[in-house]
Amino acid sequence: MTQLNLVLLGPPGAGKGTQAARMREDLGLSHIATGDLLRRHRSEGTDLGEQAAAYMADGQLVPDDLVVAMIREEIATGADGGFLLDGFPRTIAQADALTDALSAEGSAVTAVLLIDAPDELLTERISGRRMCPAGHVFHVKHNPPIREGICDRDGESLRLRDDDRAETVRQRLDVYHEVTEPLASYYEEHRLLHRIDGTRSADAVYEAIQTVVGRIMTGAAA
Ligand code: AP5
């Protein structure tokens, strides 16, 4: 079969990062998370990180040209087993740029998985999220660490992400509904969209994803 290039679409807190961590191991895909990449640029103090910081702190999208240039570089680096794009694209312009970048490599998006949940649930998930500096993610109620406030994986302190404060989360949700949600119709028209109910437990969501991906890999999905 041809290279598997999957896009994870969904609002803040839907569980994209949580599911991506499982998918990349099981499917051997190269995981490209634009939020993680931008946070790394920010902590390394690169030009891109400095330009992106104010947008991220305000819960706004980083301008398309900056994010697209970053993604083009990642895609050009190549991944034989395929890509798992997490948090990209988020605008129609980014989706068009992705199509162009992949087609330049003789490739295309295989499928888009939209993990969705209502805003109240997303807000609860985000307010309880705790992360270590390396990006390992926990939740105070749904996925607590063994020792409170300490990462199980590397023993570092867990903290709230900078943009997870209530007022910024409201802004991120508004931006999602206004600018990113229209991508669902865009990919539906391209017959690439698969909706996943993100309200269930992380295990149940993963089972639903496995079912969809299994159908895609056997060519049974529409
Ligand atoms: P980004 O880092 O991509 O954030 P996001 O899309 O807002 O998504 P989150 O990371 O908040 O949530 P998630 O869906 O990964 O949920 P998670 O698995 O952690 O982007 C941050 C910023 O960068 C943007 O605001 C923007 O400024 C910029 N940016 C990024 N990409 C960009 C782009 N393409 N263009 C322009 N700007 C861009 O789960 C959340 C919590 O819930 C965790 O605690 C987890 O343990 C828990 N949880 C997960 N699933 C479940 C479940 N099923 N049940 C119970 N708890 C669960």
Side-chain angles (χ1 to χ4, degrees), residues 10-19 34-36 38-39 55-56 59-64 67 86-90 94 125-126 128-130 137-139 142-143 161 163-164 172 198-202 205:
K16 301 182 296 297
T18 300
Q19 300 302 331
T34 40
D36 292 345
L38 289 166
R39 278 186 287 279
Y55 296 100
M56 296 172 80
Q60 299 292 342
L61 293 185
V62 175
D64 287 339
V67 179
D86 165 3
F88 182 92
R90 290 194 202 221
Q94 290 182 13
R125 286 202 189 146
I126 292 175
R129 172 166 53 193
R130 298 292 181 271
V137 175
F138 297 84
H139 190 282
H142 306 301
N143 178 27
R161 214 168 85 182
D163 58 348
D164 280 354
R172 286 163 58 201
T199 62
R200 293 172 294 166
S201 71
V205 173

Side-chain angles (χ1 to χ4, degrees), residues 40-222:
R40 194 179 316 148
H41 275 279
R42 214 179 42 185
S43 67
E44 288 171 359
T46 66
D47 280 352
L48 170 58
E50 281 178 19
Q51 290 179 77
Y55 296 100
M56 296 172 80
D58 284 348
Q60 299 292 342
L61 293 185
V62 175
D64 287 339
D65 55 338
L66 297 179
V67 179
V68 167
M70 180 177 80
I71 282 288
R72 278 187 191 281
E73 215 171 282
E74 292 291 324
I75 287 176
T77 315
D80 293 342
F83 298 103
L84 177 56
L85 291 162
D86 165 3
F88 182 92
R90 290 194 202 221
T91 65
I92 303 284
Q94 290 182 13
D96 287 338
L98 175 62
T99 303
D100 292 348
L102 287 173
S103 102
E105 303 290 320
S107 191
V109 172
T110 314
V112 177
L113 311 187
L114 168 58
I115 307 177
D116 209 358
D119 284 7
E120 311 81 67
L121 184 69
L122 300 169
T123 307
E124 187 265 338
R125 286 202 189 146
I126 292 175
S127 65
R129 172 166 53 193
R130 298 292 181 271
M131 287 176 79
C132 77
H136 302 129
V137 175
F138 297 84
H139 190 282
V140 292
K141 186 164 138 208
H142 306 301
N143 178 27
I146 295 165
R147 282 186 298 155
E148 194 182 334
I150 303 293
C151 177
D152 293 349
R153 308 260 308 265
D154 56 24
E156 295 288 338
S157 293
L158 298 175
R159 53 192 287 270
L160 198 68
R161 214 168 85 182
D162 292 346
D163 58 348
D164 280 354
R165 281 168 240 291
E167 61 285 4
T168 316
V169 170
R170 184 67 261 157
Q171 184 59 40
R172 286 163 58 201
L173 286 169
D174 287 349
V175 168
Y176 173 79
H177 291 305
E178 194 181 320
V179 185
T180 305
E181 209 166 17
L183 279 179
S185 312
Y186 172 97
Y187 280 122
E188 212 150 33
E189 279 163 24
H190 288 75
R191 300 179 61 77
L192 289 172
L193 191 80
H194 301 265
R195 292 179 189 272
I196 307 281
D197 176 3
T199 62
R200 293 172 294 166
S201 71
D203 286 346
V205 173
Y206 192 57
E207 260 179 49
I209 289 176
Q210 281 178 307
T211 302
V212 168
V213 171
R215 282 167 47 216
I216 292 164
M217 288 173 83
T218 55

